[in-house]
């Protein structure tokens, strides 16, 4: 089942909507067109509002149509009805295009827009958002996994374009089409991991560990808190994580399932230092100021991580969408506060499952001899 | 100016909406929450509908809120209000997230979804669609060109992620981030254009011509009907077309501005044949059957094109989105009907400005000696 919402809007000369009789005439024309597409349409309410009016109509099978006429020359039409999955839509795609062109023609609109029908309460949620809160409809056609862990909602969905995709708390995380994400994060081809010791903070999807192991590191510790994410990815994202989540440890790697700070603090106590640390936890929060729980969490991790990094080591992490420069700037300001001081490089890659450019950071001590300070 | 439409929907146990008193109680809880976010909210209409009910409320500054309660356990809430560009939104992003969490908490919803606010009638249309009619909100922040030619509406918009982008009749065409499109169409690195004669059917954005000229062809004829597209791209898409649209002809190329069939027919009459033909006109239509004006146009062009192709020549063209296999299949059925018979290869590339995978065809005579038949 789902509710189908059709959103149409158009602009006309404001003079045509200037008074009540104008609004009545425009509405009359619109009503005539709508009646051709929606059976048994009758006016159920007519309400005067600040800056215009609202007419409410109802039709066959509980269809409701609300028409708002704004004095300033804008008209919005919202059509809403209930549909069982096996039912044909009341207004098919083809019919909606005809409706669009009828309204354009009959009302002589200056501008008109019909959005693709929005499906609400459908068994698959196909709407995700970009880092800058844009609405993106994915071609998701199945939900393979959907459970709540103590930390987050863990879903694996299937997209026709992207293959299987991990979605955490309604945020697209990684899909089978995202090798570029992992390769940009690790700067494959630019960094040499052979014989190196590496810590991954987070990384529960296993993709980073899987790719790093191909480069013959000395040892990789992956510190992930959420067992459920790993179980879901091990089952449904094998193509990006191989068997690393299944095996959990090998001759040169180990996945430690607990709060990553426990191992980091143990390393600090033991004066153990590594060549690379990957921050593969949460993204840089999108906010106006570097305040709040998420920022504090990230800054704490950052400060601790540099305490277990060798003087010539590197901290590699993902930032956020390239369209959120303000948040990236806040992150860079936090980096500037670290002691000993650090320097950083940035890389950008278009990540298929995000449908946007993403920024990745490579951070190192400004003076390699300061690392032991 | 714009109309802001907030769409929220949630699922609850259908038993809670089973009768009028249940619906009243759920609505009462919802109303209490909404009143915290929208000042002066009052009930303006209460309508019984097939399968549920519809309550209409109005609030400050002409805000309207329609709440539909569906017996089957679904509730949709549509909030709509007018906003001048310099006004703060009545419900900011932050506030909308608070509203979302209040509704989830107070109504103990099983599932809840709030879409990013939809902006209607705004000076930039940020909503485009994928080939399979999915809704995609682009980060368009400027319109640089918007004119109607005798053939189509020609727009150049600016996207934060993609740079400048050509939009024809509301379809994203090519952007400054789409070199992969041109390179996949021409199969750069696989095909050798040096010393070859080439015809481009269409190609008004100039990108294909610009890239082909880098490969030292003997001569390229570009046959484009729409002067306005070329003027717009020459001005706003220089980074993808260089100066080819400005100069219109050079020692080894010429742009002929007219119906491409005129030159094709002239070539047929003169028995002139070329090494490569690019079909860079309209996409394969999305439809159930290979009928209608667009299909006829495409088939006519295809048939004529093969008459001016050398026996070992190739016809290169873009197909459509990879999520529309039915239309691609129809196209391939048309290819199978051609005489002399042809064979084809396919390539796929994710095109940034389309936000989806696109299919490209490379078509050749099945038996090179048949070409002169």
């Amino acid at each position: 089942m789902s509710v189908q919402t059709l959103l149409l809007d158009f602009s006309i000369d404001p003079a045509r909507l200037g008074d009540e009789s104008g609004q009545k005439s425009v509405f009359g024309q619109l009503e005539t067109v709508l009646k051709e597409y929606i059976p048994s349409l009758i006016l159920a309410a007519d309400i005067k509002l600040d800056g215009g009016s609202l007419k409410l109509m109802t039709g066959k099978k509980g269809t409701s149509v609300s028409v708002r006429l704004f004095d300033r020359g804008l008209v919005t039409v919202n059509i809403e009805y209930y549909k069982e999955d096996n039912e044909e839509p009341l207004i098919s795609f083809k019919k909606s295009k005809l409706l669009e062109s009828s309204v354009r023609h009959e009302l002589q609109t200056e501008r008109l827009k019909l959005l693709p029908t929005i499906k609400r309460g459908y068994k698959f949620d196909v709407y995700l958002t970009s880092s800058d809160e844009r609405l993106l409809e994915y071609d998701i056609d199945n939900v393979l996994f959907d459970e709540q862990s103590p930390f987050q909602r863990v879903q694996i969905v299937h997209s026709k374009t992207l293959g299987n995709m991990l979605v955490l708390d309604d945020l697209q995380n990684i899909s089978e089409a995202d090798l570029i994400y992992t390769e940009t994060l690790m700067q494959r081809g630019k960094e040499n991991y052979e014989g190196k010791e590496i810590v991954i903070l987070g990384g529960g999807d296993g993709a980073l560990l899987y790719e790093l192991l191909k480069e013959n590191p000395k040892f990789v510790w992956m510190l992930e808190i959420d067992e459920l994410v790993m179980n879901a990815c091990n089952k449904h994202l094998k193509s990006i994580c191989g068997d690393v989540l299944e095996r959990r440890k090998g001759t040169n790697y180990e996945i430690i399932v607990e709060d990553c700070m426990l191992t980091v603090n143990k390393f600090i106590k033991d004066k153990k230092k590594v060549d690379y640390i990957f921050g593969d936890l949460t993204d840089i929060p999108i906010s106006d100021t570097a305040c709040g729980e998420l920022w504090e969490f990230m800054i704490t991790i950052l400060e601790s991580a540099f305490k277990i990094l060798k003087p010539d080591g590197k901290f590699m992490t993902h930032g956020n969408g390239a369209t959120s420069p303000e948040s990236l700037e806040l992150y860079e300001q936090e980096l500037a506060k670290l002691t000993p001081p650090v320097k950083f490089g940035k890389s950008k890659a278009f990540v298929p499952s995000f449908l946007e450019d993403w920024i990745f950071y490579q951070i190192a001590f400004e003076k390699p001899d300061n690392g032991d300070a």
Side-chain angles (χ1 to χ4, degrees), chain A residues 87-119:
Chain A
E87 265 180 312
E88 285 301 307
L90 178 74
I91 300 178
S92 65
F93 173 68
K94 221 180 237 173
K95 234 170 139 182
S96 77
K97 298 311 270 185
L98 289 174
L99 169 64
E100 180 185 8
S101 97
S102 299
V103 173
R104 179 178 282 130
H105 181 75
E106 294 297 327
L107 281 106
Q108 298 283 311
T109 61
E110 288 169 8
R111 179 202 61 80
L112 179 142
K113 183 79 184 182
L114 172 70
L115 295 180
T117 302
I118 292 171
K119 296 157 283 292

Side-chain angles (χ1 to χ4, degrees), chain A residues 301-355:
Chain A
I301 301 253
L302 204 56
E303 286 170 347
S304 305
F306 278 97
K307 291 183 182 151
I308 64 163
L309 192 63
K310 287 185 186 168
D312 60 350
K314 282 190 183 165
F315 183 87
M316 320 279 280
T317 193
H318 44 73
N320 210 313
T323 52
S324 303
E326 302 79 8
S327 286
L328 297 169
E329 176 64 29
L330 287 176
Y331 182 70
E332 291 167 23
Q333 285 170 13
E334 291 305 317
L335 292 181
K337 292 179 194 162
L338 289 174
T339 48
V342 300
K343 59 187 177 183
F344 63 85
K346 279 192 271 193
S347 300
K348 187 168 86 167
F350 186 92
V351 181
S353 76
F354 299 175
L355 295 179

Side-chain angles (χ1 to χ4, degrees), chain A residues 16 32 54 69 92 96 100 118 126 136 152 154 173 206 217 231 239 262 273 293 314 319 326 336 350-351 353 360 372:
Chain A
R16 289 171 64 187
T32 307
L54 166 61
L69 304 140
S92 65
S96 77
E100 180 185 8
I118 292 171
V126 295
L136 301 169
Q152 54 204 335
V154 180
N173 227 263
N231 291 342
S239 74
L262 295 175
K273 302 211 173 195
E293 214 179 312
K314 282 190 183 165
E326 302 79 8
F350 186 92
V351 181
S353 76
F360 298 84
D372 279 319

Side-chain angles (χ1 to χ4, degrees), chain A residues 174-286:
Chain A
I174 195 165
S175 80
E176 292 185 287
D178 293 339
L179 182 59
I180 185 75
Y181 179 90
T182 304
E183 292 197 325
T184 311
L185 174 59
M186 67 191 270
Q187 296 285 291
R188 175 164 272 164
K190 291 182 192 159
E191 297 293 335
N192 178 8
Y193 294 101
E194 193 163 345
K196 301 292 168 59
E197 291 185 309
I198 304 166
V199 164
I200 301 174
L201 307 171
D205 54 65
L208 177 60
L209 175 58
Y210 183 55
E211 295 304 327
L212 282 171
L213 289 175
K214 293 178 183 171
E215 314 234 341
N216 300 316
K218 185 175 170 194
F219 204 89
V220 186
W221 293 266
M222 175 175 140
L223 315 176
E224 169 62 48
I225 202 169
D226 200 339
E227 182 84 40
L228 194 68
V229 170
M230 291 191 285
N231 291 342
C233 295
N234 181 44
K235 190 160 177 198
H236 299 290
L237 285 171
K238 277 266 191 243
S239 74
I240 69 166
C241 65
D243 63 354
V244 299
L245 299 176
E246 177 77 35
R247 297 179 57 212
R248 294 291 172 98
K249 65 194 294 180
T251 51
N252 63 344
Y253 75 96
E254 182 179 2
I255 298 174
I256 301 173
V257 188
E258 60 181 24
D259 178 351
C260 66
M261 285 304 288
L262 295 175
T263 299
V264 170
N265 285 334
K266 188 170 170 298
F267 276 30
I268 293 174
K269 198 169 144 250
D270 297 349
K271 295 201 160 57
K272 167 84 189 161
K273 302 211 173 195
V274 299
D275 300 287
Y276 287 97
I277 300 171
F278 284 90
D280 196 10
L281 298 156
T282 181
D283 295 323
I284 295 175
I286 301 280

Side-chain angles (χ1 to χ4, degrees), chain A residues 64-79:
Chain A
S64 62
V65 181
S66 73
V67 176
R68 283 203 62 171
L69 304 140
F70 295 89
D71 299 346
R72 303 293 299 271
L74 253 172
V75 178
T76 62
V77 182
N78 306 350
I79 304 171

